[in-house]
Amino acid sequence: MRIPFVKPDGCCRVCGREVEGQPHEFLCSECSGSGAPLFDRAASAVRFEDVVRTMVLDYKFNGHIWLKDDFTDWIEAALRGRFDANAVDIVVSMPLSVAHRIDRGYNQCAYLAEGLARRIGRDCVSGVLASKGGRLRQSGLGEDARRENARDKFYVRDSSLVSGRTVLVVDDIMTTGATLSDCARALKAAGAWRVWCVTLAKSVRV
């Protein structure tokens, strides 16, 4: 089974987008323009394709929780390949709305965030970043609709936990980066110094 890992070099240094044949880190046109995301850096472990797509969707929606340890291995490698793990102060997971949590029965991102935090010797602080709910699922939406749907979606419950710190947000799938960007907006409004993001999978843009 071939796993399509994202190489740590040849990616945009902000959003982590790969460009075929690019041997070095670079800054993509979107991240250098007015549409730049609000997070400082992002990295993804694998491309959301082929067998990985099936595995991630089973983990996310079908209760295949036993995959979390392997997935944590992957995101740890992505983190260490792109960032200085020692510079991370706290780890937070992408929150779910109450409706999605009830529907799914678990937060798949929380398992990854908790496992990664243990690996790098940092606290995973639950409940700091919260979702306001009342939005559509991002899957199936076009790029503009994703950005609008993610706007002003998150808030920070306790700013004292993030103020002046480098916060690492852990998510499962990154497509446009709109959701992670809105997380960064909320965290920086609460005083976070830097917001880095690491995701299990990177989807193609829609």
Side-chain angles (χ1 to χ4, degrees), residues 30-70:
E30 184 167 331
C31 290
S32 62
S34 59
L38 298 178
F39 51 77
D40 297 282
R41 298 196 72 186
S44 299
V46 293
R47 292 187 292 278
F48 189 58
E49 61 187 29
D50 304 329
V51 67
V52 163
R53 179 185 177 90
T54 301
M55 293 169 69
V56 172
L57 292 179
D58 280 341
Y59 172 70
K60 183 170 183 173
F61 296 114
N62 298 327
H64 290 201
I65 304 302
W66 57 84
L67 291 168
K68 68 181 183 344
D69 292 333
D70 287 336

Side-chain angles (χ1 to χ4, degrees), residues 3 17 52 103 112 138 147 159 184 190:
I3 303 299
R17 182 193 300 182
V52 163
D103 179 56
L112 300 177
Q138 290 286 75
R147 295 187 189 283
S159 61

Side-chain angles (χ1 to χ4, degrees), residues 25-146:
E25 189 177 75
F26 65 99
L27 186 65
C28 75
S29 57
E30 184 167 331
C31 290
S32 62
S34 59
L38 298 178
F39 51 77
D40 297 282
R41 298 196 72 186
S44 299
V46 293
R47 292 187 292 278
F48 189 58
E49 61 187 29
D50 304 329
V51 67
V52 163
R53 179 185 177 90
T54 301
M55 293 169 69
V56 172
L57 292 179
D58 280 341
Y59 172 70
K60 183 170 183 173
F61 296 114
N62 298 327
H64 290 201
I65 304 302
W66 57 84
L67 291 168
K68 68 181 183 344
D69 292 333
D70 287 336
F71 287 169
T72 302
D73 287 343
W74 297 357
I75 61 174
E76 181 187 7
L79 171 68
R80 295 188 185 278
R82 294 286 310 284
F83 306 140
D84 176 7
N86 293 325
V88 173
D89 292 309
I90 64 168
V91 179
V92 301
S93 68
M94 176 65 67
L96 290 182
S97 66
V98 173
H100 288 172
R101 181 64 180 263
I102 292 173
D103 179 56
R104 198 168 302 168
Y106 60 96
N107 182 346
Q108 74 283 353
C109 298
Y111 289 123
L112 300 177
E114 290 162 4
L116 182 60
R118 285 193 297 271
R119 302 280 184 90
I120 66 173
R122 295 294 185 270
D123 289 332
C124 180
V125 185
S126 62
V128 174
L129 190 62
S131 171
K132 296 178 181 179
R135 300 295 195 277
L136 301 171
R137 293 184 187 274
Q138 290 286 75
S139 57
L141 298 179
E143 184 166 347
D144 290 341
R146 282 175 178 266

Side-chain angles (χ1 to χ4, degrees), residues 134-189:
R135 300 295 195 277
L136 301 171
R137 293 184 187 274
Q138 290 286 75
S139 57
L141 298 179
E143 184 166 347
D144 290 341
R146 282 175 178 266
R147 295 187 189 283
E148 183 61 33
N149 191 50
R151 185 168 296 146
D152 197 27
K153 184 176 182 179
F154 302 99
Y155 67 98
V156 173
R157 287 196 175 107
D158 186 350
S159 61
S160 68
L161 294 172
V162 304
S163 181
R165 291 179 152 188
T166 295
V167 181
L168 179 68
V169 181
V170 179
D171 198 5
D172 53 5
I173 306 168
M174 178 179 176
T175 301
T176 65
T179 302
L180 289 168
S181 185
D182 196 62
C183 285
R185 175 202 57 76
L187 288 163
K188 288 188 174 183

